[in-house]
């Protein structure tokens, strides 16, 4: 089971990024995204609309209790931050440890509280420069799992093509 925790969502300012964090998590096979920060039903609805049309059982949830979410999670917890240990130095160890364990991946928006750094198994950087939670999540997930290419119950699917936009209605 893979859960992504998106901390510190700011309604309005982070809408597209938070939506894309959710869609990225889903594309790489996460089961759930949990958002904290400001409650924003329209941003969450955008992710749910995609799931409805494009399938799968990815779920979207909001919590105010993000500390509890981290504390209660039974599995390995990785926080993605530019200040963390280098992904290339740690990825073999991470994959050995993961085995069949559940995985929580935490990404921030604004400044992430110090508490997070000390309550995870590892703080991991994808390069030590500031960039984006979407990019960090995609790179990290690609190293620990695979791109998911079929989603059960999809109403619509892409037929990969060399030169056209082909979709199939189910
Ligand atoms: N100063 C922040 C940090 O700690 O990484 C950058 C803030 S950035 C706008 C928002 C989120 O993107 C961060 O909380 C982190 O999860 C992710 N992020 C940005 N750059 C990253 C990097 N180089 N490696 C891993 N995650 C990164």
């Amino acid at each position: 089971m893979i859960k992504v925790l998106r901390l510190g969502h700011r309604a309005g300012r982070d809408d597209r990024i938070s939506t894309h964090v959710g869609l990225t998590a889903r594309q790489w096979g996460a089961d759930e995204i949990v958002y904290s920060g400001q409650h924003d039903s329209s941003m969450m609805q955008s992710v749910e609309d995609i799931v409805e049309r494009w399938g799968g059982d990815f779920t979207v949830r909001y919590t105010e209790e993000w500390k509890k979410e981290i504390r209660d999670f039974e599995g390995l917890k990785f926080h993605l931050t530019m200040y963390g240990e280098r992904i290339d130095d740690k990825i073999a160890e991470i994959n050995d440890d993961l085995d069949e364990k559940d995985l929580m991946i935490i990404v921030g928006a604004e400044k992430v509280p110090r508490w997070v750094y000390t309550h995870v198994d590892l703080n991991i950087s994808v390069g030590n420069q500031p960039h984006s939670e979407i990019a960090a999540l995609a790179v990290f997930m690609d190293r620990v799992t695979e791109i998911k290419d079929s989603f059960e119950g999809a109403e619509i699917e892409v037929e990969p093509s060399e030169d056209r936009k082909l979709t199939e209605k189910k």
Side-chain angles (χ1 to χ4, degrees):
M1 190 271 275
I2 304 178
K3 180 190 294 209
V4 172
L5 177 62
R6 198 288 196 265
L7 299 173
H9 171 76
R10 296 160 295 186
R13 181 169 175 168
D14 287 330
D15 290 4
R16 266 173 68 80
I17 291 195
S18 291
T19 302
H20 289 185
V21 167
L23 298 182
T24 299
R26 173 179 173 272
Q27 176 65 82
W28 269 268
D31 300 278
E32 180 175 45
I33 184 154
V34 181
Y35 291 97
S36 72
Q38 291 180 329
H39 187 260
D40 184 348
S41 45
S42 68
M43 178 276 294
M44 287 166 60
Q45 187 63 50
S46 311
V47 179
E48 281 164 352
D49 289 348
I50 297 277
V51 175
E52 197 167 316
R53 289 187 69 214
W54 293 87
D57 47 17
F58 183 72
T59 57
V60 183
R61 183 158 63 76
Y62 173 77
T63 186
E64 275 180 11
E65 295 185 288
W66 56 269
K67 281 190 181 174
K68 182 171 163 29
E69 204 69 47
I70 295 172
R71 223 190 264 117
D72 291 355
F73 186 80
E74 290 176 12
L76 291 178
K77 305 168 222 187
F78 299 108
H79 168 223
L80 303 184
T81 166
M82 64 186 277
Y83 304 106
E85 299 199 68
R86 292 195 174 100
I87 188 170
D88 288 342
D89 296 342
K90 287 285 166 185
I91 196 64
E93 188 186 314
I94 290 172
N95 278 316
D96 281 352
D97 288 353
L98 259 180
D99 200 15
E100 301 281 290
K101 294 193 190 80
D102 289 343
L103 166 64
M104 172 183 270
I105 308 166
I106 303 164
V107 295
E110 52 187 354
K111 193 168 184 282
V112 171
R114 175 96 199 113
W115 187 93
V116 175
Y117 290 76
T118 55
H119 286 77
V120 292
D121 292 286
L122 274 179
N123 293 287
I124 290 291
S125 58
V126 178
N128 296 110
Q129 304 295 313
H131 52 82
S132 148
E133 46 274 55
I134 302 167
L137 181 64
V139 169
F140 183 76
M141 290 193 80
D142 204 55
R143 303 275 182 100
V144 295
T145 181
E146 289 172 356
I147 295 169
K148 181 170 169 156
D149 57 11
S150 76
F151 290 83
E152 241 173 73
E155 286 174 14
I156 183 167
E157 266 179 14
V158 169
E159 204 180 301
S161 159
E162 196 180 316
D163 57 3
R164 277 179 300 164
K165 279 171 68 174
L166 293 178
T167 53
E168 198 183 322
K169 285 221 158 88
K170 295 275 151 189

